[in-house]
Amino acid sequence: MKPEIERVPILRLTEQDRCEIEDTVVTEISLTIILDGQELTTLLCSPTKLEYLAIGFLCSEGLIKSKDEIKKMTVDDQRGVAWLESEQGKEFAAGRLLKRVVTSGGLRRASLHGDADAQSQAKIESGVEISAREVFSLVSEFQNRSPVFKATGGVHSAALCDTKGILVFSEDIGRHNAIDKVFGECVLTDIPTDDRIILSSGRIASEILLKAAKRNIPIIISVAPPTDLAVRLAGDLGVTLVGFVREGRMNVYTHGWRVRMDYTTRQSRARVPG
Amino acid sequence: MKPEIERVPILRLTEQDRCEIEDTVVTEISLTIILDGQELTTLLCSPTKLEYLAIGFLCSEGLIKSKDEIKKMTVDDQRGVAWLESEQGKEFAAGRLLKRVVTSGGLRRASLHGDADAQSQAKIESGVEISAREVFSLVSEFQNRSPVFKATGGVHSAALCDTKGILVFSEDIGRHNAIDKVFGECVLTDIPTDDRIILSSGRIASEILLKAAKRNIPIIISVAPPTDLAVRLAGDLGVTLVGFVREGRMNVYTHGWRVRMDYTTRQSRARVPG
């Protein structure tokens, strides 16, 4: 496997100096995903967890729902190819793909999540709640987790959590890939996603919201802001969308009833004289 | 046209307070690009400069080289569709697309830039140079330019510059779209890109490097870091890649001869006693 980071010679320039030093950059590979002999896409991604990425991608695209639908998977790290065979075989994939090509004209990821996808997505009914203090604690754990980010500043990260801590963590140069890797790992290793939380380092646009809603995730938390479309979809789909978590504050865009205040903290602070 | 930002009601939570306030989020639309009757892709993007985005996308994908190849363009903001007709007509587009579908299996953007694209790209020979001080000055102008970023924190920006200042500036929720809008504007309004500089707020992966190299850009500057593949391509293609520009320092990853030191500054500082 190609390493996640690589040392490269660079010039470090300031207004006064010009030094030749070594620096660390994040690595990038291309992964072509072939399902039942049909080339679906080529992702530019970080070189880790490629099985999870391939499965997560197929799930996010709605091509499979569980690992039982995949009979065989072979990933060649060197050539950057993932071959998958579905239980249903060629006709299955061709049928689903044809529909997609007809509706969207291309397999670009963005195009797969049109209004039809959003409208067919069931509303999430989970009654799970989280306290504001738990949100801050999760985000703090999340931000201290990433060794590649610390070394390079060049990756996004995503995690599946419950209210107490991180269960699955992934990094990738693409924020979509990072989330697909998390969901792929959940699918392949039978980790339930119901009533759980997705953390993302990236901005939340409509695609990521739909991706998470497909796995029945009731709460999405990001350190970055969402778009208006993500906010509207979150409202419609019953997802609690928390953004801009930083320095002891956060914005809750939708379904705020799932985020509890920490009343004990509040009361004890209210009792402080002055 | 849909506005670039929108006010939404949110809960602002701290550990002590829970206030209902209004906040600003960046807006998102989908733009379906149809060339000669054939649906190419659907981009999720910010609602501005859609003509530039459509033309820039076609150029970046290598489907057209100049505006003369487009006979007619109609953009419907409301429905989110751009219809384009090429001079060459249906056969032209179908032929080029067929090749792409055969080689990549999908029109996802990433898949179009394989090794073949990189190998067929001519090396950039421009002798243009820039001083370190000019780099800092451009980045400062760039970062103070974005009103939508300031309001929302939710967009990427890109600019075409010469060594003295910004010539074309665009923002978008996608870093690829921001660059496509810049190049689309250059193509449609006859702004030359030779010997000029691209500034980006986003990380530089191989795709963005190839996009810029196609427009013969000799210098790419980002406040964010590059991937190893972008560094290798920049080296091979003769592009000067500058990353991580911040607080009076920068990393020059390739072809550092284009970035001059400001020797007058250096000498005058060297003369300070002590």
Side-chain angles (χ1 to χ4, degrees), chain A residues 60-61 108-119 121 124 175-176 179-180 183 198 200 202-215 217 220 222 224-237 239 241 254, chain B residues 2 25-31 42-46 154 172-174 177:
Chain A
S60 287
E61 297 299 308
R108 186 148 186 282
R109 184 172 292 204
S111 63
L112 304 185
H113 305 296
D115 286 347
D117 275 40
Q119 281 161 17
Q121 179 64 47
I124 290 159
R175 65 201 158 98
H176 290 276
I179 289 183
D180 282 349
F183 287 141
I198 278 289
S200 168
R203 289 159 303 113
I204 304 293
S206 58
E207 278 180 274
I208 286 184
L209 203 100
L210 277 169
K211 224 183 258 283
K214 276 189 184 149
R215 306 298 317 164
I217 299 281
I220 301 178
S222 174
T227 67
D228 73 315
L229 204 49
V231 172
R232 208 160 65 226
L233 275 171
D236 292 349
L237 297 175
V239 175
L241 183 55
T254 52
Chain B
K2 187 172 173 177
V25 292
V26 69
T27 57
E28 177 188 352
I29 63 159
S30 67
L31 180 69
T42 299
L43 304 171
L44 298 175
C45 61
S46 299
D172 199 282
I173 55 166
N177 295 340

Side-chain angles (χ1 to χ4, degrees), chain A:
Chain A
M1 200 185 78
K2 187 172 172 178
E4 282 175 88
I5 54 177
E6 204 162 271
R7 307 283 297 172
V8 293
I10 67 163
L11 288 176
R12 168 73 46 84
L13 260 71
T14 65
E15 286 193 32
Q16 292 81 47
D17 295 304
R18 184 184 179 96
C19 310
E20 290 182 21
I21 62 167
E22 267 210 332
D23 197 27
T24 305
V25 293
V26 68
T27 57
E28 177 188 352
I29 63 159
S30 67
L31 180 69
T32 299
I33 298 177
I34 300 175
L35 176 62
D36 295 329
Q38 184 151 3
E39 223 178 293
L40 296 187
T41 190
T42 298
L43 304 171
L44 298 176
C45 60
S46 299
T48 55
K49 299 188 179 181
L50 301 180
E51 286 86 356
Y52 297 154
L53 177 58
I55 292 290
F57 174 83
L58 294 183
C59 290
S60 287
E61 297 299 308
L63 291 167
I64 62 167
K65 289 219 163 111
S66 80
K67 66 175 176 180
D68 302 335
E69 294 183 61
I70 295 299
K71 195 164 61 182
K72 195 179 164 192
M73 170 165 58
T74 314
V75 175
D76 183 336
D77 302 67
Q78 298 302 313
R79 292 175 58 195
V81 184
W83 288 273
L84 297 104
E85 285 173 37
S86 71
E87 272 298 334
Q88 298 92 328
K90 280 188 197 302
E91 232 164 289
F92 153 81
R96 296 208 181 180
L97 284 172
L98 188 62
K99 181 168 156 267
R100 297 203 170 275
V101 173
V102 169
T103 54
S104 72
L107 277 166
R108 186 148 186 282
R109 184 172 292 204
S111 63
L112 304 185
H113 305 296
D115 286 347
D117 275 40
Q119 281 161 17
S120 66
Q121 179 64 47
K123 189 163 176 171
I124 290 159
E125 305 286 359
S126 165
V128 72
E129 292 184 13
I130 187 169
S131 78
R133 212 186 310 161
E134 286 166 338
V135 172
F136 292 128
S137 163
L138 283 178
V139 168
S140 166
E141 185 186 351
F142 183 63
Q143 291 185 313
N144 288 314
R145 178 74 175 252
S146 170
V148 180
F149 182 81
K150 279 181 192 158
T152 65
V155 286
H156 276 292
S157 45
L160 181 82
C161 318
D162 59 21
T163 59
K164 302 306 170 209
I166 291 175
L167 305 166
V168 176
F169 180 86
S170 281
E171 296 181 299
D172 199 282
I173 54 166
R175 65 201 158 98
H176 290 276
N177 295 341
I179 289 183
D180 282 349
K181 283 179 178 177
V182 166
F183 287 141
E185 182 165 349
C186 293
V187 167
L188 276 180
T189 64
D190 298 315
I191 298 167
T193 53
D194 294 349
D195 295 336
R196 289 186 162 163
I197 299 156
I198 278 289
L199 278 178
S200 168
S201 64
R203 289 159 303 113
I204 304 293
S206 58
E207 278 180 274
I208 286 184
L209 203 100
L210 277 169
K211 224 183 258 283
K214 276 189 184 149
R215 306 298 317 164
N216 211 27
I217 299 281
I219 302 175
I220 301 178
I221 299 171
S222 174
V223 296
T227 67
D228 73 315
L229 204 49
V231 172
R232 208 160 65 226
L233 275 171
D236 292 349
L237 297 175
V239 175
T240 297
L241 183 55
V242 183
F244 255 127
V245 184
R246 54 188 67 179
E247 293 152 22
R249 70 175 180 84
M250 72 185 81
N251 294 344
V252 184
Y253 294 89
T254 52
H255 299 281
W257 58 269
R258 287 203 187 94
V259 187
R260 280 193 322 273
M261 289 300 295
D262 301 290
Y263 288 108
T264 49
T265 311
R266 191 184 203 181
Q267 282 161 4
S268 65
R269 294 205 181 206
R271 278 198 297 270
V272 173

